[in-house]
Amino acid sequence: MLIRTPKDWELRESATTPETIYQNRRTFLKTLGFAGAAFAARDLFAATAGFPTTNNPAFRDPALKPTPYEAITHYNNFYEFGTDKSEPAELANRGWKTDPWTVEVTGLVDTPLKLDVNELVAKVGGIEQRVYRFRCVEAWSMVIPWDGFQLSKLIALASPKADAKFVKFTTFLDRKSAPGQADGNLDYPYIEGLRLDEAMHELAFIATGIYGKPIPNQNGAPLRLVVPWKYGFKNIKSIVKLELVAKAPRNTWQQMAASEYGFYANVNPLVDHPRWSQASERVIGGGGGVFGSRQRTLMFNGYEKQVAALYKGLDLEKNY
Amino acid sequence: MTALVEKLLRSKPVAWTLLALPGLWPLWPIYVSHNQSVLADPLKYVLHHLGFVACVLLATTLTFTPLRVLWPKWGIAQALNRHRRLVGVASFVYAALHFTTHLVYETAGDLSAVGGVLRTATKKPFQLVGLIALAILLVLAITSLHAFVRWLGGKNWKNLHRLAYVAAGLAAYHQAIARKIFPVQVLWIFVPLALLEIARVGKQWKQSRGAISSSGVARTG
């Protein structure tokens, strides 16, 4: 008889929402009939909550120690909800709706798609958990257990045409719900881009959850990009549109300050930011008492073996 | 009421307390309110806070002279001018703590890494500008001792201490580009100072012109 010891990240079967409740979640909420219900049940009924996550050991380095959940969800750069790292956790949860959510795949594709995020997750075959390093261009890092699916599966659904060379990603635009967008602290909506071969790489991921829970609004609900070998700002949040295009799209930060932020934004300890060194990084929630903790930054954020081939012959100093 | 405020503002112990309090502020989010965003990297919060306070105090001490020139009879302006030096030195102390915290933040306590951090600081205009501002404040803090005032002579001392304006300009630049996009607080820290200085220079220019023309009148008359 096989006795299976559940891993600490595993949700028990009993914790899974029964499909009937999930299907009728909005009616169910209504029948609860008190104001606090929507908030109290948020975790349970957020978009993509109905999908149990399973660990993918191929993408889990046992040497990596995940950052505490509280730090991951309260130390956020999401300028749509303020430029201070404490602001998104507060301002993204004041009535901004991330459920229901529609995603569109369009441009140079044979079968354009426009569907609900839950339908999409079902179509790509559910979600899995991967533990990735996360390195911000501001020289700090985390280790995050993401739940989601491989980006290549989503792109394959739309069947890109032969002349599609890049993927352009676009975030929602809702000036009423997003105070940063109302202020215009950046050019909105936020745009990011990947070369198609980067997007099709097995490490490129779409996250819909963290630590087995639906992704909180401040982390980019209900779905965001995760490209672990690139700086954090490439990981566009709350995506509404993927567009297959022939030319490299200009991403938002490149547009804001091209001398500081490029299109590739590959993590590279040898190429400094104009204002600071990228050779090492603060480890968020990494202990170390009053001094905190710092570690050397790895080439391609530790994914050199997997992704270096994508950039053969490319001058990484020029193409930062 | 104003008399009481003036009296309090004139008091050295009150000034010392007011200048020390901002240094204690980080204890609140770290130990009392347990702000999760601050706790993610508490030292980063301390680092930015100390630099911020240094900028505020530098801009504040420089407003005292224009306030007195513009409103010479205003008791509060007179009271504040008693503390010009103290507030200036406090700004230097916060700037020095900010720099020390930067060294600890960048090395996480590893002394062998200090050399590399200093080399980086001289290579990055953003950091170098901050270092130059700190060096100016250091010179001004040392020469603010009475003995130096006597040694340099009033005029030289005054000219040397005009470097405080250069330090303020450098500090404003350092703070303005510290973030990925322009931080608005730079405006409310430094714009009042700039406006007061313009008004002061305007007033003094008018007065000196008045003095010249009246002396001219005296000569012809």
Side-chain angles (χ1 to χ4, degrees), chain A residues 70-71 74-75 77 79 83-87 89 136-140 142 185-186 233 253 256-257 260-261 272-277 280 282-286 289-294, chain B residues 31 35-45 48 101-110 113 116-117 120-121 123-127 173-183:
Chain A
E70 286 301 310
H74 288 83
Y75 195 74
N77 279 328
Y79 280 20
T83 55
D84 206 278
K85 288 187 178 52
S86 62
E87 284 177 310
C136 179
V137 74
E138 298 165 346
W140 53 263
M142 295 182 178
N185 54 23
L186 289 176
F233 71 85
W253 277 111
M256 288 296 295
E260 300 196 342
Y261 313 103
D272 274 5
H273 185 278
R275 283 180 282 145
W276 56 80
S277 158
S280 66
R282 293 284 290 182
V283 184
I284 300 303
V290 272
F291 290 162
S293 156
R294 182 171 281 274
Chain B
Y31 294 105
N35 182 316
Q36 290 298 333
S37 310
V38 173
L39 288 176
D41 194 1
L43 202 58
K44 185 182 216 169
Y45 180 80
H48 291 170
T101 309
H102 168 72
L103 290 182
V104 177
Y105 182 82
E106 291 293 322
T107 59
D110 174 11
V117 173
T120 304
K123 276 189 286 186
K124 307 282 172 190
F126 158 60
Q127 300 182 25
Y173 173 77
H174 178 70
Q175 203 188 15
I177 67 163
R179 292 254 195 148
K180 283 195 284 195
I181 56 175
F182 184 80

Side-chain angles (χ1 to χ4, degrees), chain A residues 227-274:
Chain A
V227 251
W229 70 93
K230 291 177 181 284
Y231 290 122
F233 71 85
K234 291 297 286 185
N235 300 324
I236 184 169
K237 298 186 176 89
S238 307
I239 302 166
V240 294
K241 191 163 80 175
L242 288 84
E243 219 175 328
L244 279 287
V245 292
K247 279 189 190 153
R250 255 176 99 71
N251 43 322
T252 300
W253 277 111
Q254 190 187 16
Q255 219 163 301
M256 288 296 295
S259 63
E260 300 196 342
Y261 313 103
F263 173 77
Y264 282 97
N266 290 320
V267 177
N268 188 340
L270 304 174
V271 177
D272 274 5
H273 185 278

Side-chain angles (χ1 to χ4, degrees), chain B residues 46-146:
Chain B
V46 172
L47 170 71
H48 291 170
H49 176 74
L50 292 170
F52 170 76
V53 175
C55 284
V56 170
L57 292 181
L58 181 57
T60 302
T61 191
L62 289 176
T63 59
F64 293 172
T65 303
L67 282 177
R68 193 194 54 203
V69 171
L70 291 167
W71 296 284
K73 287 184 190 130
W74 188 29
I76 288 183
Q78 289 166 1
L80 290 173
N81 269 277
R82 282 166 55 87
H83 306 305
R84 251 182 355 158
R85 180 166 59 184
L86 183 60
V87 179
V89 171
S91 167
F92 161 71
V93 170
Y94 278 104
L97 288 172
H98 168 68
F99 177 64
T100 313
T101 309
H102 168 72
L103 290 182
V104 177
Y105 182 82
E106 291 293 322
T107 59
D110 174 11
L111 287 177
S112 67
V114 172
V117 173
L118 291 176
R119 265 194 303 282
T120 304
T122 59
K123 276 189 286 186
K124 307 282 172 190
F126 158 60
Q127 300 182 25
L128 187 59
V129 162
L131 258 187
I132 295 171
L134 176 65
I136 292 175
L137 292 181
L138 171 67
V139 171
L140 301 191
I142 292 172
T143 56
S144 71
L145 294 167
H146 281 298

